[in-house]
Amino acid sequence: MRFLNNDTTKYWIIKQKPISMGMFKAIRSFLGCTFLLITCVFGQAPDTSLNYNVKNFGARGDGKQLDHKAINKAIENCYAHGGGTVYIPAGKYLCGSIRLKSNINLYIDAGAVIVGAPADSNAYDSPEAFTDTAYQDGGHTYFHNSLIWGEHLSNVSITGRGMIDGGGLTKMDTEHEGDLRGGSIGTGDKAIALKLCNNVLIRDITIFHGGHFAIILTGCDLTTLDNLTIDTNRDGIDIDCCTNTLVSNCKVNSPGDDAICPKSSYALNKPVLTENLIITNCQVSAFEEGTLLDGRRIPRKVSKMNWSGGRIKFGTESNGGFRNCVVSNCTFWYCNGLALEVVDGGTMDNIVVSNITMQHVNCYPIYVTLGQRNRGPKATTKMGVVKNITISNIYVIDADNFSGIQLTGMPGYPLENITLHHINIQYRGGGTKAQGEMEFPELGKGYPEPYVLGTNPAYGLYARHIKALQLYDITFNTIKQDDRPGVICHDIKGLDIDRMKMPETKGNELFKFKDVTHLTIDGATSVAKTLLRN
């Protein structure tokens, strides 16, 4: 077959059979459309001839030279010409702080790795001044001392099949109230930090060893995080004081802290809601760092209950609160369960969680709590509110015996309108009768984690201080016999139980109710029905 492709050609010769010029143009048009369709379906790296290739600005990509100055030069040049794609081809780019600009797509191609310079290299920008008292840790207070950062930007993207390797990023524990240094002055501690940006897209990249936060978004609007793979040592994705955010198709492994963590801190010097958030089709885990990426998937060694790992958690920072949020179609693997927490005066309202599977769950499968830590200005911080929560279609295999589901308000401040339905949990069991008879302390001003309160006296579900609790179609099983009550309810005004099943063990009090009013039970374990007659 031979192509003669120019305007003066009268024929396209295949086996010496002539066709008209009109037919030739039609075939050429068809082939062009087919190529366009394939490009749209399967994707294509940007045409590098139209982009700002960082190597044209002095980047070497040899893993030895600090390349962030060249990358920043390419970004600034692209921005000065109205925006476009800054292209990072295959190579290893040792970098300090990279400063994003509006209308820029930072494209990290397959085979390209941005590596964080050592913390003592003086390659990171200095942290910005914070103009008020900090009611949040250093990781939420400072952004400029990060590997890739941007502030007050519009239409900004980080895309491509390449990797960000945090390298020298620190994972400082900066969980200290009022700590303006945060243990991170002069060092980079976040892989990507964006503050007060709108129309943000981060897609397809891989982040390894992301520092204190692999991705932190604060005060951002219209953000999409899609098809990300994150294998890190602290938080994977933090979404703080943000609106209209979509997190989809992401795999986040974080053995040392939370995987996906919506927050609502005081980092903007005022309470700001995180709202209109969707987290869907994601996988979270707590394997040893790096073993998600290399395929070994080694579960982290848990010696104590006093550290979380790998979960989806709303909070702890909750000054503004959370509204209109959906978590759906996600898997939890060798990590803590789902946590919904308000302890800093915010309001959590209209939260829907559905279609979740968990395997090998540490500490607890579901934790919903209202507390009174109140880390914020004393003059304005009030008691928080948690209401209108629906959690459904949850299937759990091998849940820890330390704590069952916990749903807890505070005296005088109940959770309101909480619904759990279609839930099936297999617990490890092994709890003792003595554990089931212990008094369970109130959270109060404590840090909101089950380990703070100790072993739960109920192996299946513990509910306290709730107005309107609905429990429908719930099944608990245990691998070993558990001699604690399956369900304990205390100070519940309006409890509706329908189709609740758990093992009946001789001598074991499966249900324990105290100060429960307006109770209805239908289709529950036979032992529970006797409560209606007592």
Side-chain angles (χ1 to χ4, degrees):
M1 180 171 66
R2 183 161 58 97
F3 291 90
L4 301 176
N5 185 3
N6 57 63
D7 290 340
T8 61
T9 302
K10 300 300 182 184
Y11 302 97
W12 179 23
I13 301 174
I14 303 178
K15 296 183 180 179
Q16 308 302 319
K17 293 182 180 180
I19 61 175
S20 67
M21 187 60 186
M23 181 63 72
F24 166 73
K25 289 183 176 180
I27 294 172
R28 184 171 64 179
S29 176
F30 170 76
L31 292 173
C33 291
T34 301
F35 176 75
L36 178 60
L37 177 62
I38 292 172
T39 299
C40 291
V41 172
F42 293 102
Q44 182 185 23
D47 182 351
T48 57
S49 65
L50 303 176
N51 299 321
Y52 292 79
N53 189 321
V54 297
K55 288 197 171 182
N56 295 333
F57 292 85
R60 290 184 183 175
D62 60 4
K64 298 178 181 178
Q65 172 185 284
L66 285 170
D67 282 329
H68 59 282
K69 291 183 179 180
I71 294 174
N72 285 329
K73 187 175 180 180
I75 290 172
E76 291 163 3
N77 197 287
C78 183
Y79 173 73
H81 288 85
T85 297
V86 172
Y87 178 70
I88 301 180
K92 189 174 182 180
Y93 300 82
L94 188 65
C95 291
S97 292
I98 296 171
R99 308 177 197 110
L100 296 175
K101 299 286 186 180
S102 293
N103 302 313
I104 296 294
N105 174 28
L106 184 67
Y107 189 91
I108 310 170
D109 208 349
V113 183
I114 295 175
V115 181
D120 59 357
S121 63
N122 295 318
Y124 297 97
D125 292 343
S126 297
E128 65 272 38
F130 191 77
T131 57
D132 202 347
T133 302
Y135 297 103
Q136 62 286 331
D137 63 21
H140 287 288
T141 303
Y142 304 109
F143 302 87
H144 296 181
N145 56 326
S146 298
L147 181 54
I148 301 174
W149 68 270
E151 187 172 358
H152 294 289
L153 305 181
S154 297
N155 308 322
V156 60
S157 305
I158 304 172
T159 62
R161 295 291 291 167
M163 175 183 284
I164 298 171
D165 180 342
L169 293 181
T170 64
K171 61 168 187 174
M172 294 294 187
D173 183 2
T174 57
E175 302 277 349
H176 301 296
E177 183 174 351
D179 182 3
L180 288 177
R181 294 176 302 137
S184 59
I185 297 298
T187 67
D189 64 358
K190 294 173 281 290
I192 299 174
L194 297 176
K195 181 180 180 182
L196 297 170
C197 298
N198 69 81
N199 199 12
V200 174
L201 171 65
I202 305 177
R203 172 175 286 160
D204 296 335
I205 63 171
T206 295
I207 301 177
F208 170 67
H209 193 71
H212 194 105
F213 302 118
I215 298 175
I216 172 70
L217 307 170
T218 302
C220 294
D221 184 35
L222 296 172
T223 297
T224 297
L225 308 178
D226 182 56
N227 195 37
L228 305 177
T229 301
I230 299 174
D231 194 342
T232 189
N233 47 345
R234 285 292 301 269
D235 280 18
I237 298 171
D238 273 32
I239 303 157
D240 190 13
C241 304
C242 294
T243 56
N244 303 310
T245 305
L246 171 63
V247 182
S248 58
N249 309 309
C250 294
K251 296 171 282 292
V252 185
N253 183 60
S254 54
D257 217 322
D258 304 315
I260 301 175
C261 190
K263 295 182 177 180
S264 181
S265 75
Y266 215 80
L268 300 177
N269 295 324
K270 60 182 179 180
V272 178
L273 274 165
T274 286
E275 59 182 333
N276 299 338
L277 165 67
I278 297 175
I279 301 171
T280 189
N281 300 341
C282 292
Q283 303 173 23
V284 296
S285 58
F287 300 114
E288 289 185 9
E289 186 188 25
T291 67
L292 175 70
L293 290 178
D294 68 19
R296 291 181 296 157
R297 292 169 176 77
I298 300 173
R300 68 164 188 166
K301 296 179 180 178
V302 180
S303 58
K304 298 180 180 180
M305 289 294 176
N306 62 351
W307 195 250
S308 62
R311 63 186 170 178
I312 296 176
K313 181 185 83 167
F314 284 62
T316 300
E317 289 78 2
S318 48
N319 300 88
F322 312 91
R323 184 170 62 196
N324 297 341
C325 302
V326 173
V327 179
S328 66
N329 304 336
C330 294
T331 65
F332 292 58
W333 204 7
Y334 281 100
C335 61
N336 292 60
L338 171 78
L340 306 177
E341 306 170 358
V342 170
V343 295
D344 293 327
T347 295
M348 177 177 286
D349 187 10
N350 202 19
I351 311 297
V352 175
V353 179
S354 64
N355 300 346
I356 305 295
T357 67
M358 303 181 189
Q359 294 186 64
H360 313 300
V361 177
N362 181 45
C363 199
Y364 60 88
I366 299 170
Y367 179 56
V368 182
T369 196
L370 175 64
Q372 200 174 12
R373 181 180 70 165
N374 288 356
R375 190 166 72 165
K378 292 182 179 179
T380 59
T381 302
K382 59 186 186 304
M383 192 62 206
V385 174
V386 175
K387 61 183 180 179
N388 302 324
I389 311 295
T390 298
I391 301 174
S392 65
N393 295 335
I394 312 295
Y395 294 86
V396 182
I397 298 174
D398 186 35
D400 200 305
N401 65 359
F402 182 76
S403 172
I405 297 171
Q406 286 193 39
L407 311 172
T408 55
M410 290 189 62
Y413 300 95
L415 309 183
E416 301 179 43
N417 193 24
I418 309 298
T419 301
L420 274 61
H421 65 91
H422 301 300
I423 294 175
N424 193 311
I425 301 178
Q426 179 199 65
Y427 290 103
R428 293 172 193 166
T432 66
K433 196 173 186 65
Q435 289 174 329
E437 293 172 349
M438 292 188 304
E439 288 293 324
F440 201 44
E442 300 276 0
L443 176 64
K445 297 182 179 181
Y447 190 78
E449 288 290 346
Y451 76 82
V452 173
L453 306 181
T455 302
N456 197 320
Y459 76 80
L461 182 147
Y462 185 94
R464 181 166 57 188
H465 309 312
I466 302 176
K467 181 179 180 181
L469 173 61
Q470 296 85 36
L471 305 173
Y472 304 147
D473 192 12
I474 296 177
T475 300
F476 298 144
N477 290 294
T478 60
I479 297 174
K480 297 179 181 179
Q481 179 175 315
D482 200 304
D483 291 327
R484 293 172 291 178
V487 175
I488 296 178
C489 293
H490 180 196
D491 185 22
I492 312 294
K493 293 178 174 60
L495 173 59
D496 188 3
I497 298 177
D498 187 6
R499 289 165 294 155
M500 191 168 196
K501 300 179 182 179
M502 65 190 74
E504 294 189 28
T505 304
K506 186 176 181 180
N508 187 17
E509 187 179 18
L510 294 185
F511 289 79
K512 183 182 291 186
F513 292 173
K514 180 180 179 182
D515 297 328
V516 174
T517 61
H518 300 92
L519 168 66
T520 61
I521 297 178
D522 186 18
T525 302
S526 60
V527 175
K529 295 180 181 179
T530 63
L531 293 166
L532 292 176
R533 300 192 295 269
N534 295 334

